[in-house]
Amino acid sequence: MPSQQLISTVETIKQARPENLMARHFDGDYYLSLNPVLRQRLQKIIASGVENPDSSMGAYAMNPQDYDQFAPLFDAMIHDFHGIPSSVEIKQIHDWDTTRTDCDLAAIDPDLADVSMRVRVARNVSTFPLPGAMDKQQRIDFENLAASAFNELARDPAFGGKYLSITPGSPHEIGAGEYDRRVKAHQMFKDMSADRYLNVAGISGDWPYGRGMYVSNDEEFLVWVGEEDHLRIMAMQRGGNLGELFERLNTGLEKLTLYLPPFATSPKYGAITSCPTNLGAGMRASLHMKLPKLTGNGSDLTRLKQEASHLGVAVRGAGGEHSDAGEDGLVDISPSARLGVTEMQIMQKLYEAAAALWKLETGDKRG
Ligand code: DAR
């Protein structure tokens, strides 16, 4: 798109969609100061937010270096989204040590001793472009690299499992029936080519080549390959001990780093991810709670979202992004902050929010 047309298009979006952070912070003079090659690269980075004006972030990095290369735009968007004042220097620290904090949900209430808990981290290796800029062969090459790492991981009895590929012709290829079953079981990710944001960004390119999932024998440790990031590493379980869940994820992550090229990281932004919303710890930690009183039996999340926001957590239906609450008030709660906070602080936030919401829901029966 010619420069002046792009600048006026973004300005129109900025007026119509103030929530589009790319449009809010895009500066035409900065764009014109770039050489033609960098302008082309920046056009691809913001394409999703231009083609989808209803975007909240509106940009995806194509290479780990993009966050530094295009810092004037990315820094402004990142400070805004993550609620960090522009005067505050961002410096990501990692700390998985949860021994110094409460972890046992049953200690809040026996009814919370058996809830669905899931925690995941996003990681990209430094030797490939980010998913939005990969070509088909790179996607397949990365998948093969990941599959060889899983062969090593599977030798550990605590993480034994198998790799399931949806790449046509892969030696690990599964059929459509198993793929659908795993999606319905909330294990495998959905067809990315149905996501208009990821399509424009190129992240869903060459679907389904280079995509798959490692699943442990107990089906409580999963690794997505080729979704929005190179890897989404997750631990999940029904129970009440958040500390155990975090420990399993951290151990699995550490083992995987032995068998893979270095991850793309930054002293400022921590784990480098496609979407700026996932920078930092790159972690989404969540648990499901039944809150029928706070949700009007699942009919209205307004009050719960307000209470949750004050507690630093986001609420959504238990069926994933954009899903509704169950009739029994079943919802997914997850700490909002991911950048500038450590893994332990994210877990602590989740625990404290669960305790506070349960107190609101039950009126704290114990007085
Ligand atoms: N739809 C894009 C991404 C929002 C954040 N969610 C991710 N990364 N899965 C937008 O900018 O609205």
Side-chain angles (χ1 to χ4, degrees):
M1 188 187 294
S3 296
Q4 286 306 333
Q5 183 184 346
L6 177 72
I7 291 168
S8 60
T9 299
V10 173
E11 183 55 33
T12 303
I13 295 170
K14 181 177 178 177
Q15 299 307 320
R17 293 281 186 166
E19 75 277 13
N20 183 317
L21 293 184
M22 176 280 295
R24 183 186 298 176
H25 294 289
F26 180 86
D27 179 287
D29 292 336
Y30 165 66
Y31 178 75
L32 293 174
S33 73
L34 301 173
N35 68 42
V37 170
L38 291 180
R39 286 189 203 179
Q40 201 61 34
R41 280 178 54 190
L42 188 53
Q43 274 212 33
K44 181 155 174 48
I45 288 166
I46 67 171
S48 186
V50 172
E51 299 295 321
N52 300 289
D54 64 338
S55 295
S56 54
M57 184 58 82
Y60 292 93
M62 298 291 131
N63 283 287
Q65 301 77 19
D66 287 346
Y67 287 108
D68 290 335
Q69 180 68 59
F70 302 102
L73 175 58
F74 268 127
D75 284 356
M77 292 169 62
I78 291 162
H79 274 275
D80 192 341
F81 176 84
H82 291 277
I84 301 173
S86 54
S87 57
V88 174
E89 184 193 359
I90 297 174
K91 187 170 170 39
Q92 181 62 33
I93 294 169
H94 296 281
D95 176 2
W96 288 78
D97 181 1
T98 58
T99 55
R100 308 189 303 275
T101 185
D102 294 329
C103 298
D104 183 2
L105 295 167
I108 298 170
D109 190 299
D111 288 350
L112 298 179
D114 184 36
V115 300
S116 175
M117 307 179 292
R118 177 185 284 220
V119 56
R120 67 92 169 139
V121 289
R123 291 293 186 270
N124 292 281
V125 299
S126 54
T127 51
F128 283 83
L130 294 175
M134 294 172 96
D135 62 28
K136 185 173 177 181
Q137 191 55 53
Q138 287 171 321
R139 296 184 198 278
I140 293 169
D141 291 346
F142 174 75
E143 182 187 25
N144 291 334
L145 181 69
S148 61
F150 298 141
N151 277 337
E152 297 301 322
L153 181 68
R155 298 174 195 277
D156 182 321
F159 291 93
K162 58 186 174 183
Y163 179 62
L164 310 174
S165 174
I166 54 175
T167 296
S170 162
H172 310 282
E173 186 181 6
I174 57 173
E178 181 168 6
Y179 170 74
D180 292 342
R181 181 174 68 79
R182 299 272 185 184
V183 170
K184 286 189 178 72
H186 302 295
Q187 291 180 349
M188 181 56 127
F189 48 97
K190 299 173 188 165
D191 180 347
M192 295 166 69
S193 64
D195 185 312
R196 59 189 163 92
Y197 304 95
L198 299 183
N199 283 342
V200 176
I203 292 172
S204 55
D206 311 305
W207 176 268
Y209 288 86
R211 276 72 177 207
M213 173 180 76
Y214 180 79
V215 55
S216 62
N217 295 325
D218 63 9
E219 301 195 345
E220 292 184 344
F221 181 82
L222 307 177
V223 186
W224 288 355
V225 175
E227 204 248 1
E228 189 177 308
D229 293 292
H230 293 157
L231 299 172
R232 291 286 176 94
I233 304 146
M234 59 193 84
M236 62 186 75
Q237 67 183 25
R238 285 201 66 85
N241 192 322
L242 285 168
E244 275 177 15
L245 188 71
F246 270 69
E247 186 56 38
R248 183 157 201 212
L249 176 61
N250 189 24
T251 304
L253 176 63
E254 286 182 343
K255 286 184 182 297
L256 276 174
T257 56
L258 300 175
Y259 312 124
L260 287 167
F263 291 139
T265 60
S266 138
K268 184 174 177 183
Y269 289 139
I272 294 296
T273 54
S274 290
C275 183
T277 61
N278 283 308
L279 289 168
M283 175 178 277
R284 186 179 193 281
S286 64
L287 58 82
H288 292 176
M289 296 178 82
K290 290 181 179 176
L291 302 172
K293 189 177 92 177
L294 289 176
T295 62
N297 293 318
S299 64
D300 182 358
L301 293 185
T302 308
R303 183 193 167 197
L304 176 58
K305 286 187 173 182
Q306 286 165 349
E307 298 288 358
S309 174
H310 295 316
L311 294 165
V313 294
V315 176
R316 69 189 197 191
E321 222 166 348
H322 313 306
S323 66
D324 298 323
E327 285 181 9
D328 53 3
L330 186 67
V331 290
D332 171 296
I333 63 165
S334 172
S336 306
R338 296 177 185 174
L339 175 61
V341 289
T342 66
E343 290 79 6
M344 181 275 282
Q345 288 171 331
I346 290 172
M347 198 286 293
Q348 195 169 3
K349 177 68 74 177
L350 181 57
Y351 182 88
E352 290 167 355
L357 291 174
W358 191 252
K359 190 171 180 180
L360 284 171
E361 173 70 20
T362 59
D364 196 7
K365 294 192 296 277
R366 296 163 297 169

